[in-house]
Amino acid sequence: MTALPQTTSKKLGLVIDLDTCVGCQACATSCKEWNTQGYSAPLADEDTRGADPHGPWLNRIHGYEVEDTNGKDSRVVHFPRSCLHCETPACVTVCPTGASYKRAEDGIVLINPDTCIGCKLCSWACPYGAREYDVQEGVMKKCTLCVDRIYNENFEPEDRQPACVKACPTGARHFGDLGDENSAVSQLVKERGGFDLLPEMGYKPTNKYLPPRAKRDTPQAGIEALPKGDGSAMDRLFKLADRLLSGN
Amino acid sequence: MNPAYSVIFFTTASGAGYGLLALLGLTASSVGQSPSLAFVLVSMVLALALITAGLLSSTFHLGHPERAWRALSQWKTSWLSREGVAAIVTYPFALAFGLAWSGLYPAPDAIAPLGVITALLSLITVFTTGKIYATLKTIRAWHQPLTVPVYLFFALASGSALHLALSAFFTRDPGPVAPVALLSLGTLAVLKFLYWRAIDQAPRDRTMGDATGLGDHVRQWEVPHTTKNFVQREMGFVVARRHGKRLRGLFYILLLVAVLLELLAITIPLVSIIAFFIVFISAWVERWLFFAQGEHVVTLFYGNAQA
């Protein structure tokens, strides 16, 4: 049903660290790889060898250039974007068939591929672009939080995590219960000042983003950091060796 | 927003059909049995044909049209589902009304109540269509108080123009709907003017910084994929502002021509047939612009600075 649960016992979600993400796309490709064979499979692409290859991906990695407030210095921030498993998701309530639903037990937002009619209204209602239409299947696709991994008892406990989290080489993705304030992910959000995307729109996203840390070294500091001679005996010896070897 | 032709055809055709049905119901309930059986039969069939063609075309853009019946289930939360329910519920009342009004099933006492119920259900269906768009917070130009009134008055304006044309064709008489036709066109012009002013003046105060949480000095550096994805194809369509202005001008001109033709129809009734087609074209222009000028919040992630 598209009526939202009043509360969910857990709020499973992701915490994404914008400081350590290097934009390698490992999470996006492992997501595609897992989800093209698991729940609501396949995730087929169109025109794969042509000029316009496209198809549903459940995780997209943007790159943004952020200028420092002084306007002189800038840096690149890699920004993975996927379903945020909102507490009050409009994508669910607009669904006319009940194919879209939010689970009361863990808060995961899912699409039933057997009842979705592919009207795309949910994609219009989502401000985060989390839902993509699968032309070949005629249904909408979205992040399932790897619901077929995280409860999978055939896996070792450490593998019961979303594919993207397992794949991340820099540990920029964390999975856990954001409804439990003592969980590791909640602690991380508290410690690092994790934030919501577009909070004023009122969808109460579960996933949180950790802001990039302040820069520790500026280019000027980097130049100054080259070692200078301190005039010690060892230093003079090196300078002598340098002169002799350079031949002047 | 990408202006899908199936959705534009659906909303304009079924809008005209429901508008016509509502006006047939209301005029019949005040005037009673019509003197022209041909007028009754043709106008009822045409109204239901427009509605049905519209509803069918709206299923063409579905990934699974054969599952469309499932869309009737979630009326508790979904305006799209409510639209489906309202559309289905209108059919039996419209058919019963048509049978009574035409005298095919003689029930003169039932004409008035059935006419009023059919009119109400028709307008409720158009109302639910408008609500689908007006309740989407993600598209500022749609999430407006005037969105639903514009949908309702378009249905009335195109429905009454069609009513006028049919009356002229079958009875050589504009009938009781002429003032409604003129008033609804006038109201529509005013509503649309106010609506466009509202969306032009509404601050585009959501920024890329708000969407990404990265502050005021953020620019797109790299898109996540090499070709356009579904989100960009569906939500990224924006018409150039200058084309938008031209099309708004065209809309006002079409409406003015329609008003003049409907006035002329008082002396030369058959001119109202042309007036209807002009109103219908203006509905297409307006509906296309409604989509093309609907800027979606998700574009902020794809390089749009404000939305």
Side-chain angles (χ1 to χ4, degrees):
Chain A
M1 285 293 280
T2 53
L4 297 173
Q6 287 294 314
T7 53
T8 56
S9 347
K10 282 183 177 180
K11 293 178 188 172
L12 295 186
L14 300 173
V15 172
I16 295 165
D17 191 343
L18 298 178
D19 192 64
T20 48
C21 175
V22 292
C24 69
Q25 312 276 339
C27 57
T29 47
S30 64
C31 166
K32 180 87 169 182
E33 188 179 17
W34 177 260
N35 285 294
T36 201
Q37 58 185 343
Y39 182 94
S40 192
L43 283 179
D45 288 320
E46 301 279 303
D47 195 21
T48 46
R49 281 142 208 265
D52 185 25
H54 60 275
W57 287 62
L58 313 181
N59 185 15
R60 303 280 195 180
I61 320 305
H62 294 254
Y64 297 104
E65 185 183 8
V66 183
E67 249 177 33
D68 279 2
T69 40
N70 63 20
K72 284 179 184 163
D73 203 4
S74 70
R75 68 159 119 187
V76 166
V77 174
H78 302 284
F79 189 97
R81 179 179 57 80
S82 57
C83 174
L84 306 175
H85 299 281
C86 299
E87 281 180 49
T88 53
C91 59
V92 169
T93 51
V94 300
C95 174
T97 67
S100 253
Y101 60 105
K102 184 170 175 69
R103 301 189 353 155
E105 62 268 39
D106 52 19
I108 299 180
V109 176
L110 287 176
I111 300 167
N112 181 347
D114 297 327
T115 55
C116 174
I117 57 174
C119 73
K120 313 180 190 85
L121 185 58
C122 56
S123 70
W124 295 4
C126 174
Y128 307 112
R131 289 169 171 248
E132 299 197 12
Y133 181 64
D134 185 332
V135 179
Q136 293 188 14
E137 297 286 300
V139 297
M140 301 302 296
K141 297 285 174 82
K142 69 179 289 301
C143 161
T144 66
L145 214 58
C146 284
V147 69
D148 47 358
R149 289 182 63 98
I150 59 177
Y151 296 113
N152 195 332
E153 290 182 358
N154 296 320
F155 284 7
E156 297 300 322
E158 65 268 28
D159 286 331
R160 292 176 202 165
Q161 297 203 49
C164 59
V165 174
K166 285 295 291 180
C168 182
T170 64
R173 301 178 73 95
H174 308 266
F175 164 71
D177 180 7
L178 287 142
D180 171 9
E181 59 180 43
N182 295 317
S183 68
V185 279
S186 295
Q187 292 297 321
L188 192 59
V189 169
K190 212 163 141 190
E191 200 180 294
R192 292 276 308 281
F195 62 89
D196 286 346
L197 304 186
L198 293 167
E200 75 285 357
M201 290 198 77
Y203 300 115
K204 298 191 196 161
T206 299
N207 285 13
K208 302 282 182 268
Y209 283 79
L210 305 179
R213 289 185 177 90
K215 270 194 167 179
R216 277 159 294 191
D217 50 343
T218 62
Q220 288 83 355
I223 291 162
E224 282 168 12
L226 286 172
K228 278 183 178 170
D230 58 1
S232 66
M234 192 58 80
D235 185 43
R236 288 203 303 275
L237 180 63
F238 278 130
K239 274 189 178 148
L240 176 68
D242 185 36
R243 259 202 312 275
L244 292 172
L245 290 167
S246 311
N248 55 13
Chain B
M1 298 297 293
N2 177 34
Y5 291 110
S6 61
V7 176
I8 294 179
F9 178 75
F10 158 59
T11 57
T12 51
S14 68
Y18 283 119
L20 176 61
L21 196 55
L23 288 162
L24 291 173
L26 291 176
T27 50
S29 61
S30 54
V31 183
Q33 219 138 20
S34 170
S36 164
L37 181 64
F39 168 71
V40 173
L41 289 178
V42 171
S43 53
M44 282 303 296
V45 167
L46 193 59
L48 291 173
L50 278 171
I51 291 166
T52 310
L55 289 173
L56 283 179
S57 100
S58 77
T59 63
F60 291 160
H61 84 286
L62 298 180
H64 282 279
E66 80 286 1
R67 298 177 183 166
W69 60 273
R70 291 185 184 275
L72 302 174
S73 64
Q74 303 303 308
W75 50 269
K76 279 185 187 165
T77 66
S78 166
W79 281 104
L80 179 53
S81 183
R82 288 170 196 164
E83 182 196 43
V85 172
I88 298 291
V89 170
T90 308
Y91 272 102
F93 286 96
L95 287 173
F97 162 68
L99 286 175
W101 186 36
S102 60
L104 291 178
Y105 183 87
D109 294 343
I111 295 175
L114 282 174
V116 171
I117 294 172
T118 303
L120 271 177
L121 288 171
S122 304
L123 295 178
I124 287 171
T125 308
V126 178
F127 175 83
T128 56
T129 307
K131 272 289 189 186
I132 295 170
Y133 302 99
T135 49
L136 288 174
K137 279 194 286 180
T138 44
I139 303 157
R140 192 187 296 279
W142 295 2
H143 190 54
Q144 294 285 335
L146 286 175
T147 298
V148 173
V150 166
Y151 267 82
L152 280 169
F153 272 89
F154 243 118
L156 284 177
S158 48
S160 56
L162 188 51
H163 192 291
L164 216 56
L166 290 164
S167 309
F169 188 78
F170 286 103
T171 62
R172 296 289 185 274
D173 172 28
V177 173
V180 181
L182 286 166
L183 266 177
S184 56
L185 279 179
T187 313
L188 188 57
V190 173
L191 285 177
K192 215 48 219 187
F193 172 78
L194 292 174
Y195 166 83
W196 277 324
R197 204 179 58 163
I199 64 166
D200 287 347
Q201 288 180 352
R204 294 165 73 218
D205 54 3
R206 290 198 180 102
T207 65
M208 192 187 282
D210 295 335
T212 58
L214 294 174
D216 298 333
H217 305 277
V218 58
R219 292 192 281 276
Q220 179 168 261
W221 173 69
E222 193 178 57
V223 286
H225 29 80
T226 46
T227 60
K228 280 189 174 180
N229 72 341
F230 166 76
V231 170
Q232 285 173 299
R233 287 166 210 262
E234 184 78 358
M235 262 75 78
F237 187 98
V238 184
V239 70
R241 207 177 164 74
R242 110 193 115 88
H243 296 314
K245 274 202 168 147
R246 249 183 239 156
L247 286 173
R248 287 181 190 183
L250 176 65
F251 170 78
Y252 287 127
I253 292 168
L254 288 170
L255 235 50
L256 183 67
V257 172
V259 167
L260 292 175
L261 287 174
E262 284 185 1
L263 282 171
L264 187 62
I266 295 170
T267 48
I268 315 168
L270 284 177
V271 170
S272 52
I273 296 171
I274 307 169
F276 165 69
F277 283 106
I278 303 275
V279 175
F280 200 66
I281 294 166
S282 80
W284 268 74
V285 172
E286 188 270 352
R287 214 46 53 85
W288 190 88
L289 254 187
F290 180 72
F291 275 85
Q293 294 194 315
E295 191 178 35
H296 198 286
V297 172
V298 76
T299 54
L300 294 175
F301 290 102
Y302 280 98
N304 194 8
Q306 293 170 296

